[in-house]
Amino acid sequence: MVEVKVDFARCDANGTCAALMPDVFRIGENGLLEQLTTEVEDGRAVELEEVILCCPLGAISRS
């Protein structure tokens, strides 16, 4: 499993991550990002890397 981290202090909730991985991220009714899980399967590492690279504020990382 790959751990997914979000720096909510940096996040502007633009929704790119939610569009790319809707089972991991979503924009809540309050307009803020919600992280639905803190881990993704190893087989989704490339997908997660795309989300990390597409985040305009660098708010998403992995460990």
Side-chain angles (χ1 to χ4, degrees), residues 26-47:
R26 75 173 175 196
I27 303 300
E29 290 184 23
N30 60 1
L32 299 176
L33 179 69
E34 297 176 358
Q35 185 175 1
L36 304 176
T37 184
T38 58
E39 295 181 326
V40 297
E41 304 224 0
D42 292 334
R44 298 184 72 196
V46 171
E47 190 179 354

Side-chain angles (χ1 to χ4, degrees), residues 5-6 12-13 20-21 24-26 28 30 32 34 36 43 46 49 54 56 63:
K5 295 182 180 180
V6 176
D12 69 352
L20 294 171
M21 294 184 87
V24 179
F25 309 100
R26 75 173 175 196
N30 60 1
L32 299 176
E34 297 176 358
L36 304 176
V46 171
E49 285 302 317
C54 289
S63 59

